[in-house]
Amino acid sequence: MSDDDEYEIPLQDQRVFGSGIKRRRVKFVPSTSGATSSVTSSTTPANSISDMYLRLVLPEGSEDDASIGNANFMVEHNKGEEISVSTCEICNLPLSSPPSAKSTTLRDGVADTGLSTSVPVSTTNPHEASFAHQVCLQHSHPPSHVDRNRKGLAYLSSYGWNPDSRFGLGASGQGIQNPIKVKPKDDKMGIGVVLPPESERRKTEKPTRLDAGKIKKLDEKDRKRTERLRQTFYQNEDVERYLGGG
Amino acid sequence: MADRRSELDLPKAKRAKLAESDPASNPYLAHMYEEDVGYGNGYGSRNGNKNGRFEQTGLSNFQRHASTAAQAHTAEDGPGNPFNNVPLSNQYFNILKTRRDLPVHKQRQEFLDMFQKSQILVFVGETGSGKTTQIPQFVLFDDLPHFNNKLVACTQPRRVAAMSVAQRVANEMDVKLGEEVGYSIRFEDVTGPKTVLKYMTDGMLLREAMHDHNLTRYSCIILDEAHERTLATDILMGLLKEVALRRPDLKIVIMSATLDAQKFQRYFNDAPLLAVPGRTHPVEIFYTPEPERDYVEAALRTVLQIHATEPEGDILLFLTGEEEIEDACRKITLEADEMIREADAGPLKVYPLYGTLPPHQQQKIFEPAPPPARKGGRPGRKVIVGTNIAETSLTIDGIVYVVDPGFSKQKVYNPRIRVESLLVSPISKASAQQRAGRAGRTRPGKCFRLYTEAAFKKELIEQTHPEILRSNLANTVLELKKLGIDDLVHFDLMDPPAPETLMRALEELNYLACLDDDGDLTTLGKLASEFPLDPALAVMLISSPEFYCSNEILSLTALLSVPQIFVRPASAKKRADEMKDLFAHPDGDHLTMLNVYHAFKSQAATSDPKKWCHEHFLSLRALQSADNVRSQLKRIMEKSELELVSTDFNDKNYYTNIRRALVAGFFMQVAKKDPTGKTYKTVKDDQSVLLHPSTVLGVDSDWVLYNEFVLTTKNYVRSVTSVKPEWLLDIAPTYYDLSTFKAGEIRSALQKTMDKVKRKQATKRTR
């Protein structure tokens, strides 16, 4: 599945990013007041995040056991301080730090646990907006690249195949989704040979040792070349004729 | 199906005649109409010989699906042949003795028990277990098809195998080939009314299924070499899975040589599995410590090294293609001669082996290794340098050393540019194991892999992709539609193809008018499916009478269905090219081939065709098989009431008509010259291509039609003929509907042509 996306549009039809738009740089400036840059910091106690982190990393024994033991579904676990810990069923993280009113919007009717606490309610980030949760969410796939006007697609669709479903053909849709791709091989290189990139290869050209004779020869060659170049560039036909040459 | 006759969408009235004729006259259906036709299994009760003839045979007291191995053993011992009561020959008893030594024989009872109990059975036997020859006979003794007027079929992926195995089994059963035991391959049917066991190619069984969806002729179907996963075997498996539900009396045996048999088991709803060990010896496997920069060179060195240092035993080297193999053979011979001169090495014989090699040369690989050069000298050795046909299809005894560079040429189809090509690519692990196994046929052997163990584990895929994932499926879709399978989405294939490949196939068939816009088979499509040809070729052939050149197109179709007719040996390239120029037609390669064929049929050639072909650098074998294919196709054309006509040779349109008829089939394989000069661009797919150097066509033709797209580092189109854009617009208007083209050079050129045609018509009208 990893390489199927690159296969989608023939190279010549792919648009370069930004073509059509003037590629002028979008400028940014830092915000003037530090406070507005963070949504939570103004109202939440600054140490709440670090508390949460510490609780995750260095949990006190009993709480840890409980949250791991019941990781799959919401757990209500009351400790002496009335902190209730429930885990999100999607990202398996505790929901309650800080418990917020917005947690009522959680899916599947996760019980509201936060109203009784004294922590400010409305301004905190809902758990669903947290990065960890977002990463764990099932994302929808981009639709297939297949041209919807193709007759072949119409035929397959009429028998219930959906190009966007990410299923192949076959009794249970188990077939491959993309045609098999093979790179043409035009060398005699054996299996497993890894060529260093072009730049590396040039570098590895071995320096050769020169003795006096060789240096003299090279020098001679160099001189001749310079002479020839000078001739071609600076020779003047009139002068040549005047001098009686050529 | 006959009700579709109403939707005749063919322009010419004469095609209407082609609508399905009386099914009773169809040879594939003959068994259904035995009373009328007098065809079918001669043992049928209607002959009244059931009581007369079979009372005395060894099989008469057998109970169907309740016999035992011991019973069969007694029946086999004679004295009369259990199938025709003729006294058994000495040769029969000699073979019988060796047959009873085969590994499968020990498990005969076990096989029968499982066979009787379940409808579908998966049988795994390694090479050398005797499964291909013995299992069908085991089935015969238990299934007794002749008492029920049925047959047992055993499919093979290759024609040669079907023929040779049938011959072998006929000998084993002491019957004449073509009577009790026969074979059926494309263009050849050696069976008779008495036939009870039929070896056939998987493709043939599929063709029979097209006319008889339930395969009612057969009481048991054995799919052999299922592990090779050919296109036809895959389709048959999907089909048999359905037929098994409709026909509970049908027995099915799937035979495979490899260990992934569980996959077959799972696919056939957990059918029971029986495994029989082969007769193989251990093979020691060696890897190179470092990857090889040049696998061919490394392979040659390995071969010579084995010859110099290893004890007696023949060598098998796997390479990828004809050219590489011939080159390697030459080099090995040269080097070995030097070794013999300088280091007193034993004599070395080198044999090439590839598919297009003439059979008599292929036979040479079975010659024994050469004897020592002198008495007491070092033993001789033979080296076989082959493609992967030596991997499974041909069994060569005496191989002890295998050299495996890890590559083979594999077919692959890219539906996005509609190109099917043969590419050199790494083999699979399964394939590497199969190759290694070749070393252990006669005694413990060695396999030298020219890659590292890490590369074996990391870079090789587990299984070779089955053919169905690597092929253009236009033909397959046509066959499936003819088989009555409309739901191509849920058809239960073991490895369903990529949706895009199937979409392409459907679209191609739609453009060829074999399928209508609803995806239903048209009359043309039904007719095309009668021909064992690619749809484009079939459509070209069927529409050729409209262009008054069906005789010529028939020859051309035959020529395009056989291997290359031109021979171009490396030693005489120039001479070969000169000879080809004798036949060259300025309008392209198709017409050149036609010229060759006509010359081949002329008096000058027929007196001594062998000599004539040799002189003209032509392949006699290819031309002869083209001749054979032509007569077979002609028979189908006559049966389908397609007229065989020709334009008068002196008519100026003689060649034009042929070129126009080509367009009728191959309008999807057209390229236009780039305005810049030498390269061409394929229509709609926009692939840059060059004309293959072998073409006789100059680069001055703007539009060319090609038969084949050859994918290498440069893309070539081979077998090209120049065409006119007017023809494209005229003959294939749906494909050349300009609104479906991307804006560009090709579209504007077509637009110009269209305007020109319109202007011309307008001026004509005004006149």
Side-chain angles (χ1 to χ4, degrees), chain B residues 573-588:
Chain B
K573 282 184 181 157
K574 205 169 155 235
R575 185 93 189 102
D577 290 344
E578 281 168 16
M579 278 302 165
K580 189 174 174 182
D581 282 343
L582 288 181
F583 304 105
H585 188 281
D587 282 328

mmCIF file of all heavy atoms in Angstrom, chain B residues 573-588:
data_model
loop_
_atom_site.group_PDB
_atom_site.id
_atom_site.type_symbol
_atom_site.label_atom_id
_atom_site.label_comp_id
_atom_site.label_asym_id
_atom_site.label_seq_id
_atom_site.Cartn_x
_atom_site.Cartn_y
_atom_site.Cartn_z
ATOM 1 N N LYS B 573 24.461 -11.276 -40.221
ATOM 2 C CA LYS B 573 23.402 -10.281 -40.113
ATOM 3 C C LYS B 573 23.170 -9.551 -41.434
ATOM 4 O O LYS B 573 22.046 -9.328 -41.849
ATOM 5 C CB LYS B 573 23.759 -9.260 -39.030
ATOM 6 C CG LYS B 573 23.510 -9.784 -37.637
ATOM 7 C CD LYS B 573 23.784 -8.724 -36.598
ATOM 8 C CE LYS B 573 23.540 -9.300 -35.219
ATOM 9 N NZ LYS B 573 24.227 -8.613 -34.166
ATOM 10 N N LYS B 574 24.294 -9.205 -42.088
ATOM 11 C CA LYS B 574 24.176 -8.372 -43.278
ATOM 12 C C LYS B 574 23.475 -9.131 -44.398
ATOM 13 O O LYS B 574 22.568 -8.627 -45.051
ATOM 14 C CB LYS B 574 25.578 -7.956 -43.723
ATOM 15 C CG LYS B 574 25.567 -6.679 -44.508
ATOM 16 C CD LYS B 574 26.940 -6.116 -44.734
ATOM 17 C CE LYS B 574 26.898 -5.259 -45.966
ATOM 18 N NZ LYS B 574 27.894 -5.647 -46.957
ATOM 19 N N ARG B 575 23.904 -10.373 -44.570
ATOM 20 C CA ARG B 575 23.327 -11.214 -45.607
ATOM 21 C C ARG B 575 21.828 -11.428 -45.331
ATOM 22 O O ARG B 575 21.007 -11.377 -46.247
ATOM 23 C CB ARG B 575 24.091 -12.546 -45.596
ATOM 24 C CG ARG B 575 23.721 -13.492 -46.680
ATOM 25 C CD ARG B 575 24.643 -13.343 -47.906
ATOM 26 N NE ARG B 575 24.107 -14.128 -49.016
ATOM 27 C CZ ARG B 575 23.427 -13.604 -50.037
ATOM 28 N NH1 ARG B 575 23.224 -12.302 -50.109
ATOM 29 N NH2 ARG B 575 22.962 -14.377 -50.993
ATOM 30 N N ALA B 576 21.513 -11.640 -44.074
ATOM 31 C CA ALA B 576 20.109 -11.855 -43.709
ATOM 32 C C ALA B 576 19.279 -10.622 -44.034
ATOM 33 O O ALA B 576 18.167 -10.723 -44.543
ATOM 34 C CB ALA B 576 20.000 -12.199 -42.232
ATOM 35 N N ASP B 577 19.849 -9.456 -43.764
ATOM 36 C CA ASP B 577 19.113 -8.223 -44.048
ATOM 37 C C ASP B 577 18.918 -8.039 -45.548
ATOM 38 O O ASP B 577 17.856 -7.583 -45.990
ATOM 39 C CB ASP B 577 19.867 -7.021 -43.462
ATOM 40 C CG ASP B 577 19.826 -7.022 -41.948
ATOM 41 O OD1 ASP B 577 18.972 -7.753 -41.393
ATOM 42 O OD2 ASP B 577 20.631 -6.306 -41.320
ATOM 43 N N GLU B 578 19.927 -8.401 -46.303
ATOM 44 C CA GLU B 578 19.801 -8.294 -47.759
ATOM 45 C C GLU B 578 18.672 -9.186 -48.262
ATOM 46 O O GLU B 578 17.885 -8.799 -49.123
ATOM 47 C CB GLU B 578 21.109 -8.722 -48.429
ATOM 48 C CG GLU B 578 22.194 -7.659 -48.403
ATOM 49 C CD GLU B 578 23.539 -8.227 -48.797
ATOM 50 O OE1 GLU B 578 23.588 -9.337 -49.368
ATOM 51 O OE2 GLU B 578 24.550 -7.567 -48.515
ATOM 52 N N MET B 579 18.627 -10.401 -47.699
ATOM 53 C CA MET B 579 17.595 -11.332 -48.119
ATOM 54 C C MET B 579 16.213 -10.806 -47.751
ATOM 55 O O MET B 579 15.261 -10.933 -48.506
ATOM 56 C CB MET B 579 17.822 -12.693 -47.456
ATOM 57 C CG MET B 579 18.856 -13.524 -48.185
ATOM 58 S SD MET B 579 18.334 -13.743 -49.889
ATOM 59 C CE MET B 579 19.804 -14.322 -50.659
ATOM 60 N N LYS B 580 16.125 -10.192 -46.561
ATOM 61 C CA LYS B 580 14.830 -9.655 -46.147
ATOM 62 C C LYS B 580 14.397 -8.541 -47.099
ATOM 63 O O LYS B 580 13.215 -8.412 -47.409
ATOM 64 C CB LYS B 580 14.945 -9.124 -44.721
ATOM 65 C CG LYS B 580 13.606 -8.752 -44.123
ATOM 66 C CD LYS B 580 13.721 -8.375 -42.668
ATOM 67 C CE LYS B 580 12.399 -7.870 -42.151
ATOM 68 N NZ LYS B 580 12.484 -7.440 -40.753
ATOM 69 N N ASP B 581 15.390 -7.766 -47.575
ATOM 70 C CA ASP B 581 15.059 -6.662 -48.475
ATOM 71 C C ASP B 581 14.414 -7.154 -49.770
ATOM 72 O O ASP B 581 13.687 -6.411 -50.430
ATOM 73 C CB ASP B 581 16.323 -5.854 -48.792
ATOM 74 C CG ASP B 581 16.684 -4.939 -47.642
ATOM 75 O OD1 ASP B 581 15.800 -4.712 -46.793
ATOM 76 O OD2 ASP B 581 17.834 -4.459 -47.583
ATOM 77 N N LEU B 582 14.707 -8.413 -50.122
ATOM 78 C CA LEU B 582 14.083 -8.970 -51.326
ATOM 79 C C LEU B 582 12.563 -8.973 -51.211
ATOM 80 O O LEU B 582 11.854 -8.851 -52.199
ATOM 81 C CB LEU B 582 14.546 -10.417 -51.548
ATOM 82 C CG LEU B 582 15.976 -10.656 -52.007
ATOM 83 C CD1 LEU B 582 16.205 -12.135 -52.193
ATOM 84 C CD2 LEU B 582 16.228 -9.910 -53.311
ATOM 85 N N PHE B 583 12.083 -9.178 -49.985
ATOM 86 C CA PHE B 583 10.643 -9.279 -49.789
ATOM 87 C C PHE B 583 10.023 -7.950 -49.356
ATOM 88 O O PHE B 583 8.814 -7.848 -49.224
ATOM 89 C CB PHE B 583 10.331 -10.323 -48.713
ATOM 90 C CG PHE B 583 10.893 -11.679 -48.997
ATOM 91 C CD1 PHE B 583 12.003 -12.143 -48.324
ATOM 92 C CD2 PHE B 583 10.303 -12.484 -49.959
ATOM 93 C CE1 PHE B 583 12.512 -13.403 -48.599
ATOM 94 C CE2 PHE B 583 10.808 -13.740 -50.224
ATOM 95 C CZ PHE B 583 11.927 -14.206 -49.549
ATOM 96 N N ALA B 584 10.873 -6.983 -49.080
ATOM 97 C CA ALA B 584 10.395 -5.757 -48.439
ATOM 98 C C ALA B 584 9.311 -5.068 -49.261
ATOM 99 O O ALA B 584 9.380 -4.991 -50.493
ATOM 100 C CB ALA B 584 11.555 -4.810 -48.213
ATOM 101 N N HIS B 585 8.303 -4.600 -48.557
ATOM 102 C CA HIS B 585 7.275 -3.796 -49.185
ATOM 103 C C HIS B 585 7.384 -2.395 -48.581
ATOM 104 O O HIS B 585 7.504 -2.263 -47.363
ATOM 105 C CB HIS B 585 5.888 -4.391 -48.913
ATOM 106 C CG HIS B 585 4.812 -3.717 -49.691
ATOM 107 N ND1 HIS B 585 4.278 -2.517 -49.312
ATOM 108 C CD2 HIS B 585 4.186 -4.073 -50.840
ATOM 109 C CE1 HIS B 585 3.359 -2.154 -50.200
ATOM 110 N NE2 HIS B 585 3.292 -3.082 -51.134
ATOM 111 N N PRO B 586 7.362 -1.351 -49.417
ATOM 112 C CA PRO B 586 7.588 -0.007 -48.878
ATOM 113 C C PRO B 586 6.573 0.412 -47.823
ATOM 114 O O PRO B 586 6.845 1.302 -47.036
ATOM 115 C CB PRO B 586 7.496 0.891 -50.112
ATOM 116 C CG PRO B 586 6.853 0.059 -51.166
ATOM 117 C CD PRO B 586 7.208 -1.357 -50.870
ATOM 118 N N ASP B 587 5.418 -0.226 -47.781
ATOM 119 C CA ASP B 587 4.402 0.214 -46.825
ATOM 120 C C ASP B 587 4.478 -0.490 -45.491
ATOM 121 O O ASP B 587 3.649 -0.254 -44.624
ATOM 122 C CB ASP B 587 3.007 0.055 -47.418
ATOM 123 C CG ASP B 587 2.696 1.185 -48.384
ATOM 124 O OD1 ASP B 587 3.206 2.299 -48.133
ATOM 125 O OD2 ASP B 587 1.991 0.957 -49.370
ATOM 126 N N GLY B 588 5.434 -1.387 -45.319
ATOM 127 C CA GLY B 588 5.599 -1.904 -43.969
ATOM 128 C C GLY B 588 5.803 -3.400 -43.839
ATOM 129 O O GLY B 588 5.835 -4.151 -44.812
#
